[in-house]
Amino acid sequence: MRMKIRTKIIASTALVVSLSLILSGFFIYDYAKEIIREQSIKDSRTKLAQISFQLRKIQEQVVKTAEYIVSDEEIADLVYAPATADIEENYFRKQAVQEKLGRFVALSNFILNVVIAPPNGETYSNYSGYEDYFSEYLKQDWFVKMKNTRNGYSEPHPFFFISGNRQVFSYVLKFRPIGEGERADSYLVIDIAYSELSNVFLQSAQDFEQIQLYTGAGALLLAANDRLTGPDQDFMSDALFSGEAFAEDAERIVLTDDAMTQGWRQAALLSKSKLFEKINRVFYFYIIIIMSGIVFTLVVMLPIIVNLTKPLIRLTNAMKRVAVGDLGTSIRIRSGDELEVLGSGFNRMVEDLKSLMETSVQNEALKRQMQIDLLMAQINPHFLYNTLNTVIYLSHAKRSGEAIEVTQALIGILQDTIKTGEGAMRAPLADEKRIVDKYAVIQQTRYPGRFRLIWEVDDMLLDQPVPRMALQPLVENAIVHGIIPSDREEGTIVVRACREGVELRLEVEDDGQGMTVPAEGWSLRVGQGPERTRGIGLSNIQERLRTHFGASARLEVCSIVGSGTRVSIWLPRQG
């Protein structure tokens, strides 16, 4: 499929602009996405470090509080003093421990409770009256799991606090007082408000898809999002326990941090879809800019392209008109550039071509006319030569009456052959019939009784134009080359004219000796018989047919040696 040059330029412009903007946008997007990724990872590490710092401060304060408590000699004396039968003394001793522990609790806003469990099974707390509760409290699963650990943090669990349950996690320290001969271990339990962890993660949780905090024992302390999908959770777990600080796949990034004490580790999950959500919006906006840029470019470039290609289109249309023969075509281009030079050159070319064709047509017509004149000039001497020989023969034979008849026939033929212009090229079939009849009179005088001429012509065809002097040479060939050399006493020549569809067929057939039809060209000559004169060949007739009736006119010969010859002329029928 052909494309116009204007379409090609517009399409090329749109393609170049589109590819340029799209490729630049792609590289910018890819570059910006990598920058955002690195910056987000950096910011996330900073946030995790801040969280770790706050958690480490909590851990350090809890550990220091525990150290102060277990190293306090007064508390140790009160807790490990031998039991007495005096209930009042025991009560005041517990009250003293309660007051001591209460002071440590008061120093921190996130420590809710402190419990000391010596080997004798009693419990001491900063809250009095809860001995039975704490006895059961220290039988819960979270504490049982921690009994074999020297120190560490438990998993979150409920704690009854001021007539209500609160979520806490506990720091458990297994110890033996200094200077005491006790072989069994004591336990210090410090209950820490779970909300303190939530507050630490509260501000940063919205920046991550998920944040998880694990103790050194692998217990989950905190998970910011309870609706995490299975693949995300598995990826986080693999990254967290692999010991690597960074893990990434096509959909997510996991950052880990272990800057806290007691083996605590935290992991943050970043979703790439959310991470690049903002830049994706920018990318979509950039797509709109690209489309707008293409439209704007076309709006600006279209008038320029139209003005640029308009002379080319005019030049193309002019060339098409010249191609179909309109040599009067000319164009006027005033673009002030190479196209104007091209238009002027085209006009000069058309003028030169027109002049050349006119000269060529005139030369060709002159050449054709000279050829026809030469062909016709061959006929007249031929007639005169043969006919005058006959007249001479009749005069010597004292047959003056026949000589007069032959001379009159010759005069009638010459009157037809001296015509000029179109009449010298074509003639009605009736005129050709009259010439053939007169020629037959001359030949009957020369060869009395040797042939008979028969006409099979529809009177409706007598007005049809045919080549002048086309039938007479064929009849002459039939007499001189067909019948006279044969052994027949009297031969027959039949001249026919009939319609064949859109064509007119003229035919001369004889029953003479026949001939061998040449494979290429027409070189048969009338004068190749006994008379040895230069004759008029079939090529003469064929050339005149082609010249005056076009390629549709043709000459056909069918001959059988010993049986006769049939020569047919096919002409485009007129009328």
Side-chain angles (χ1 to χ4, degrees), residues 463-477:
D463 293 334
Q464 287 292 320
V466 298
R468 180 172 291 279
M469 296 298 292
L471 292 178
Q472 184 272 331
L474 297 181
V475 172
E476 183 176 355
N477 280 345

Side-chain angles (χ1 to χ4, degrees), residues 376 379-380 383 409 412-419 422-441 453-455 457 461-476 495-497 504 506-508 536 540-541 544-545 549 569 571:
M376 296 303 294
I379 297 175
N380 291 335
F383 273 118
I413 292 174
L414 292 177
Q415 286 177 341
D416 284 329
T417 59
I418 61 175
K419 293 182 179 179
E422 183 65 23
M425 308 304 171
R426 304 187 187 193
L429 179 58
D431 291 352
E432 286 299 293
K433 181 176 181 298
R434 184 169 58 255
I435 291 174
V436 171
D437 287 338
K438 291 179 179 180
Y439 177 75
V441 170
L453 179 65
I454 300 174
W455 287 90
V457 179
L461 301 178
L462 293 177
D463 293 334
Q464 287 292 320
V466 298
R468 180 172 291 279
M469 296 298 292
L471 292 178
Q472 184 272 331
L474 297 181
V475 172
E476 183 176 355
V495 182
R496 301 184 185 91
L504 174 66
L506 303 178
E507 192 172 85
V508 176
I536 305 302
N540 181 299
I541 300 173
R544 289 191 289 130
L545 288 176
F549 290 88
I569 297 176
L571 302 172

Side-chain angles (χ1 to χ4, degrees), residues 277-302:
E277 183 177 2
K278 292 182 179 180
I279 193 173
N280 285 337
R281 293 199 197 111
V282 174
F283 183 72
Y284 297 144
F285 181 70
Y286 190 77
I287 293 295
I288 296 175
I289 294 177
I290 291 175
M291 300 303 295
S292 302
I294 294 173
V295 173
F296 177 76
T297 302
L298 292 179
V299 170
V300 173
M301 291 295 296
L302 195 58

Side-chain angles (χ1 to χ4, degrees), residues 494-558:
V494 181
V495 182
R496 301 184 185 91
C498 62
R499 290 187 179 91
E500 294 285 345
V502 295
E503 293 180 308
L504 174 66
R505 179 166 61 89
L506 303 178
E507 192 172 85
V508 176
E509 183 177 7
D510 65 77
D511 54 2
Q513 68 175 0
M515 64 178 176
T516 300
V517 179
E520 297 182 0
W522 300 108
S523 59
L524 297 177
R525 295 289 181 179
V526 175
Q528 289 179 350
E531 299 184 8
R532 306 292 181 184
T533 59
R534 183 173 62 88
I536 305 302
L538 296 178
S539 58
N540 181 299
I541 300 173
Q542 188 179 37
E543 180 66 22
R544 289 191 289 130
L545 288 176
R546 187 184 302 112
T547 301
H548 296 293
F549 290 88
S552 59
R554 61 190 185 279
L555 181 69
E556 295 179 356
V557 177
C558 179

Side-chain angles (χ1 to χ4, degrees), residues 47 50-52 54-55 58 109-112 166-167 169 192-206 211 213 221-224 266:
K47 291 174 183 176
Q50 292 173 350
I51 294 173
S52 295
Q54 296 180 50
L55 293 176
I58 295 174
N109 58 353
F110 53 83
I111 296 178
L112 301 181
R166 290 190 64 176
Q167 192 77 355
F169 66 100
I192 307 165
Y194 188 76
S195 60
E196 188 67 19
L197 291 180
S198 301
N199 292 335
V200 171
F201 285 93
L202 181 63
Q203 294 180 350
S204 300
Q206 60 185 358
I211 299 182
L213 177 65
L221 274 178
L222 182 137
Q266 62 174 332

Side-chain angles (χ1 to χ4, degrees), residues 328-348:
T329 302
S330 65
I331 58 173
R332 185 177 180 181
I333 299 176
R334 292 291 182 266
S335 59
D337 52 20
E338 291 84 351
L339 292 176
E340 183 174 346
V341 177
L342 186 60
S344 300
F346 174 81
N347 291 334
R348 288 195 301 271

Side-chain angles (χ1 to χ4, degrees), residues 59 63 149 151-153 171 214-217 260-265:
Q59 289 178 309
V63 170
T149 305
N151 65 326
Y153 291 89
Y171 176 73
Y214 287 85
T215 66
M260 298 156 286
T261 62
Q262 297 291 323
W264 279 21
R265 292 178 62 86

